[in-house]
Each structure stands twice: as C-alpha cells, then as structure tokens.
C-alpha cells in the first residue's frame, strides 16, 4: 500500500472550507488503485489550523498513474495562474510506502 499525505496550514477559521473542498466527490474515486481518502482537521492553535488529507493507494504505480491522468492534470490547469488563497499559510506533501498494518482482532 502507498500513502500520500498533504498537510495544509490555514488561518484559523478556514479549515472547514478546506475540509469541504477535499470531501466533495471527484474523479479520484474512479481511479484504478484508489483505496480511500481521509480528511482530518487539527484543533486550532496560535491562530492557525491544519487540515491533513490522506489518500491510500494500492501501490505507488497507481498513485503515479493518477498524478499523470487527464482528470488530475485538468484540475491543476483550472487553477493555473490564480493566486493561492490568502488563508493558505503552507502546504506540505509527503509519500509513504506502508511497511506494516495492524487491525483490530
């Protein structure tokens, strides 16, 4: 399994807007190898909030297929040239290859 984590730090009061954007249905759900997408919100601190989006894929190859797909690229093209929202403080993206999973017995 392969996981992509995107952490977005936003000005306090804007996390729900980011959560809503990433919670909407989209083309990613139809992508081969897609397992699930989880949206998490961190409690506000010092005037900032964080939203983490975790996307699980069957493999890194499936994730790379999505990154190169017309549907994914079209979404980025639609935002090209637009300024980033004023409330977006930072974005960090990391990827992980799952090494072990424990499930409830």
């Amino acid at each position: 399994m392969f996981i992509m984590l995107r952490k977005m730090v936003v000005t306090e009061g804007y996390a729900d807007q980011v959560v809503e954007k990433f919670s909407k249905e989209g083309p990613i759900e139809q992508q081969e190898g897609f397992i699930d997408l989880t949206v998490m919100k961190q409690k506000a601190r010092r005037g900032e909030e964080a939203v983490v989006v975790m996307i699980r894929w069957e493999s890194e190859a499936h994730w790379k297929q999505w990154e190169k797909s017309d549907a994914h690229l079209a979404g980025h093209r639609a935002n090209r040239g637009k300024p980033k929202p004023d409330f977006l403080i930072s974005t960090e993206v990391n990827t992980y290859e799952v090494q072990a999973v424990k499930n409830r017995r």
Side-chain angles (χ1 to χ4, degrees), residues 53-72:
V53 177
M54 177 178 72
I55 306 172
R56 296 188 319 153
W57 296 94
E58 290 178 13
S59 69
E60 183 176 6
H62 284 109
W63 171 71
K64 285 181 178 180
Q65 254 182 330
W66 164 247
E67 290 287 303
K68 295 176 184 176
S69 73
D70 290 339
H72 183 253

Side-chain angles (χ1 to χ4, degrees), residues 20-69:
E20 183 179 330
K21 175 187 175 188
F22 283 93
S23 299
K24 290 180 182 175
E25 197 169 319
I28 195 168
E29 289 93 358
Q30 306 308 314
Q31 184 69 28
E32 182 182 348
F34 172 81
I35 297 172
D36 60 20
L37 184 150
T38 303
V39 182
M40 300 166 277
K41 182 172 110 175
Q42 187 179 38
K43 289 185 178 183
R45 60 180 220 267
R46 293 175 290 176
E48 298 177 353
E49 295 174 300
V51 176
V52 176
V53 177
M54 177 178 72
I55 306 172
R56 296 188 319 153
W57 296 94
E58 290 178 13
S59 69
E60 183 176 6
H62 284 109
W63 171 71
K64 285 181 178 180
Q65 254 182 330
W66 164 247
E67 290 287 303
K68 295 176 184 176
S69 73

